[in-house]
Each structure stands twice: as C-alpha cells, then as structure tokens.
Amino acid sequence: MSEAQEEALRAEARAWLEATFPAWRESVGNPARYNSEQRRAWHRVQAQGGWGAPSWPVEYGGKGFGPVEYAVWAEEKARIGANIPFNVTGFGMAGPTIIAHATELQKKRYLPPLLGGDEIWCQLFSEPGAGSDLANVTTRAQRDGDSWIVTGQKVWSSSAHEADFGILLARYDFDKPKHEGLIYFIVDMRAPGIEVRPLRQISGESEFNEVFMTDVRIPDENRIGEPGDGWRVAMTTLMFERMSIGSATGGYTFPFERLVALARAHGRPGALDRQALAGVYTRYKILDLLNARVLSKLRKGEIPTAEGSILKIALADLISASAALGVRLLGGEGLLLKDGSPTRAFLEAPAFHIGGGTDEVQKNVVAE
Ligand SMILES: Cc1cc2nc3c(=O)[nH]c(=O)nc-3n(C[C@H](O)[C@H](O)[C@H](O)COP(=O)(O)OP(=O)(O)OC[C@H]3O[C@@H](n4cnc5c(N)ncnc54)[C@H](O)[C@@H]3O)c2cc1C
C-alpha cells in the first residue's frame, strides 16, 4: 500500500468514525465504562457500516485489510476512543482460525453470526498443567461413531460464562509425541457435560472461568483440521492472538492527558510526580516507535518476530506504569474502585504481563 493510499484510508476511517461514534456514545449516555450490551451495540454499528471485521476477506464480510491497513483503522479508533473491546476471542482468534483452516460449511455456519455480533466465543486452551507449555494439554478426546467424547479441565477461559461457542484444544492420542497427538474442535458451550465456574479477580469482577468437561459429545463435523493437526491450527490462533493484543495498544493504557489532569488537580505537581509523568510519556513514545517498527517491516512484506514480543512487553510495562502513577496521584482516593478510575486499570494491569504469553516467555522469544 502506497503512502497516498494509506492517507486516503485514514481519511475515510476518520470521517466515518467522526460521523458515527460521538453520536452513538452520546446516545448511550457517555459512560465511563461500557457494559457488555453497549459493547455489542457499538460493534453492530460498525458491522452495519462495513467495519465489523475489516481484516477478514471481502467474501466473508470484511474489507480484506492487511496488517498495515488494519493498523491505520485501529489507530483511528484509538484516537477517538472508539476502540471498545467486544468478543475479542471471536474476532481476534476464532474467526481468523476458521477462515484459515475450516471447511466451507463451517465458515458458512459460524462466520456470519460472529460478524453480526450474535454469537460470543471463548478459547479453551490453557489447563492447570498447560499454560506457557501449551502442548502439555491432557483434555482427552475419544472417537465414538460420528462424534468425540471429551473429558478434561480448562482454566482462565475468558468470557466462557457468556460464550456460545469455544475453540478447544484436546488430545486424541497419548502415545504420539506431544505436539502430534492434538486435535482442535469448535464446541457448543451449552452442550451437556460442560460446567463453567467463574473465577473472581482482584478487581472483584469475574471475567474468566474454569471449564469442566465431563463426557461432552462433540460431533466430528465440529473438528477443524485432521486429528493430529491440532497444534498447527492452535498456532494460527495464537499468532492472531498476539497480533490482536499488539494492535490494541490504545485500548488498555490509562490516557496520558488524564494523568496530567490528575497531577494538576492538586496544584503544581511536585518533582517526583513530574519525573514519573515524564517516564510514562517516554514509554508512550517508545511504544509508538515500536509500533512503527513493526509496521515498517510489514510494509516491506517482512514478518515481525522478536519485534512483536518486544511490543507486547513494552505495552504491559506502559499499562502498569500509567495505572500505578494514576493511583499515586489520586492519593487516598486511589483506594476506591470507581468506573474509569486508574485504580481499576491498576488492578487489571498484572493480567497483561501473563495473558497472550508471559513477559518471561516473550523475553525467551526475543533472546532466541
Ligand atoms: C487475563 C487473562 C486472560 C486469559 N484468557 C485465556 C483464555 O481465554 N483461554 C485460555 O486458554 N487461556 C487464557 N489465559 C491463560 C494464559 O494463556 C496463561 O495464563 C499463560 O499462557 C501462562 O500460563 P500459566 O498461567 O499456566 O503459567 P505458567 O506457564 O505455569 O507460568 C508460571 C510462571 O513461569 C514462567 N515460565 C513458564 N515457562 C517459562 C520458560 N520457558 N522460561 C521462563 N519462564 C517461564 C512464566 O513466565 C510465569 O511467570 C488468560 C490469562 C490471563 C492473564
């Protein structure tokens, strides 16, 4: 994509967002924090405008955006505050995996309701004994006629309590080398034998869950790829997961302008606060440059490897640093958990150092 095309796309995205988002936001009362129905509603506005899943191919309702075009769209959404996460596993992981590996029949069944905001997805990969080393999964899938009988336990399953479908990694052959005995399914979260137990987070909310599966019958037509392809298909999911976290940069950090406003709220900020503000500002700039570095590789048709991991570490660091400074600037009020407050961002920050590959694992990738 040439620079002129990029600028034309930016202008188009900005014009559409400016014509649509502020009015929508006002119509839902300018909330400090969007509830799940508001998130779904904003998604539907985007889907109706053709912006529901711009990186999907045109034939599945997307705009066929490559990574550079998608980054322009994500930047414009972040600029206006319209990057409101909705069905992140569905759009960031399940959808792209289905597009890459599923049969035409599966694509026809699952992609349109996902795009329309009608069906929510969760990811059933991690287990108590399989996280960073995901190939250790021991959830068992046994063939039984036209279906598979699945038994095992998953954990940290975001949104499983509200999900209609899950993408599931299980083991069908315990004798093969661990990466070769895996199988990948789409599972109906309302199937008999599935029990979802919410986990309480430090913020008091329950956004992720334990999922227990006891003799869950999954039709063979819900398998993605051949038995034994599970690892290969899961790698596609994880690659898209990293990309969706990386491109969400603006969505989770505590905005710098609000930190400055907090610092000024109590008169002229002291030297330590000014230093800390400069530290957060510097991190924002570093993140911009790291983003630009990833994009410039993509523009040249090269695939970023270590750059993506560095970006994720820097993002988690910025999320933590900006939220911690916000809490400090609030003083005693920082102990109160209010919508839109840095305290909430502070309590949510540790998750970014773990989910989508821990800091340590990302550092391994960089080192290698
Ligand atoms: C907010 C959030 C949402 C999540 N959502 C989902 C979801 O929807 N579905 C899902 O399946 N999973 C989900 N996860 C799980 C996530 O993928 C795992 O937590 C992550 O992969 C780490 O695995 P683990 O928790 O088992 O930790 P472990 O892998 O047991 O790691 C424990 C510690 O050891 C370190 N460590 C491990 N291996 C190495 C190594 N080789 N070198 C150096 N250090 C190492 C880690 O960095 C960590 O500090 C979510 C996690 C979070 C935080």
Side-chain angles (χ1 to χ4, degrees):
M1 162 177 252
S2 70
E3 231 168 87
Q5 285 168 320
E6 201 173 310
E7 281 322 299
L9 171 63
R10 190 178 293 284
E12 185 194 347
R14 187 173 293 191
W16 187 83
L17 286 163
E18 281 175 354
T20 321
F21 182 68
W24 175 82
R25 191 170 197 276
E26 208 164 304
S27 76
V28 296
N30 293 310
R33 187 176 169 80
Y34 299 96
N35 64 34
S36 53
E37 277 320 302
Q38 288 164 339
R39 289 165 190 270
R40 188 196 296 268
W42 171 235
H43 170 76
R44 285 190 169 143
V45 173
Q46 293 172 88
Q48 277 153 19
W51 297 94
S55 53
W56 290 11
V58 177
E59 57 189 301
Y60 302 121
K63 285 182 180 287
F65 279 4
V68 176
E69 288 99 326
Y70 190 80
V72 169
W73 166 242
E75 276 166 23
E76 286 306 310
K77 280 217 290 189
R79 203 183 58 82
I80 197 170
N83 47 348
I84 302 166
F86 168 71
N87 198 5
V88 176
T89 302
F91 290 103
M93 291 170 243
T97 306
I98 290 170
I99 289 168
H101 295 288
T103 62
E104 280 310 310
L105 218 61
Q106 290 169 329
K107 289 178 189 170
K108 276 209 183 82
R109 161 62 188 86
Y110 294 107
L111 293 177
L114 171 50
L115 184 62
D118 304 325
E119 289 175 348
I120 306 282
W121 288 72
C122 68
Q123 178 198 27
L124 304 171
F125 280 19
S126 304
E127 297 181 2
S132 302
D133 196 357
L134 182 61
N136 280 340
V137 298
T138 56
T139 290
R140 176 185 295 270
Q142 227 166 352
R143 186 82 198 227
D144 181 34
D146 287 346
S147 10
W148 296 80
I149 307 294
V150 174
T151 296
Q153 185 200 339
K154 297 291 175 177
V155 71
W156 316 125
S157 320
S158 304
S159 302
H161 56 294
E162 55 182 12
D164 300 286
F165 292 97
I167 38 176
L168 169 70
L169 190 62
R171 184 171 303 282
Y172 78 104
D173 189 332
F174 284 75
D175 296 325
K176 286 192 167 170
K178 66 178 183 179
H179 292 87
E180 292 170 26
L182 298 171
I183 185 164
Y184 195 114
F185 293 110
I186 293 171
V187 55
D188 180 343
M189 291 303 287
R190 294 189 187 84
I194 295 189
E195 188 195 344
V196 179
R197 293 189 203 159
L199 290 165
R200 177 71 73 96
Q201 294 149 226
I202 195 173
S203 61
E205 292 180 12
S206 293
E207 287 163 336
F208 52 32
N209 308 268
E210 295 176 294
V211 176
F212 294 85
M213 289 167 287
T214 312
D215 294 335
V216 178
R217 186 170 285 275
I218 301 180
D220 187 52
E221 65 189 35
N222 283 24
R223 173 171 46 78
I224 300 190
E226 294 302 315
D229 282 346
W231 185 250
R232 194 171 61 90
V233 180
M235 283 305 100
T236 302
T237 309
L238 295 188
M239 187 189 77
F240 281 106
E241 177 176 15
R242 277 183 211 132
M243 277 167 45
S244 72
I245 294 176
S247 64
T249 40
Y252 301 105
T253 51
F254 196 74
F256 185 71
E257 303 71 41
R258 290 189 51 205
L259 288 174
V260 174
L262 277 179
R264 287 194 172 131
H266 306 290
R268 189 176 144 77
L272 283 179
D273 289 344
R274 293 202 306 272
Q275 262 177 36
L277 279 167
V280 169
Y281 183 82
T282 309
R283 285 177 170 85
Y284 265 107
K285 290 294 147 194
I286 289 172
L287 199 70
D288 282 348
L289 292 172
L290 290 172
N291 259 320
R293 189 187 199 181
V294 167
L295 273 185
S296 81
K297 263 206 145 171
L298 289 169
R299 273 196 197 97
K300 285 186 252 163
E302 294 169 23
I303 297 184
T305 50
E307 292 87 347
S309 292
I310 296 172
L311 188 64
K312 207 225 148 204
I313 295 169
L315 174 63
D317 175 54
L318 170 60
I319 289 172
S320 287
S322 58
L325 176 58
V327 169
R328 200 179 87 198
L329 291 171
L330 276 177
E333 209 189 313
L335 291 171
L336 300 176
L337 188 57
K338 289 190 200 156
D339 282 347
S341 79
T343 311
R344 186 177 293 283
F346 179 74
L347 294 179
E348 288 171 350
F352 290 89
H353 295 269
I354 303 170
T358 66
D359 284 359
E360 291 77 14
V361 166
Q362 303 294 350
K363 285 177 189 169
N364 283 347
V365 173
V366 175
E368 278 162 17

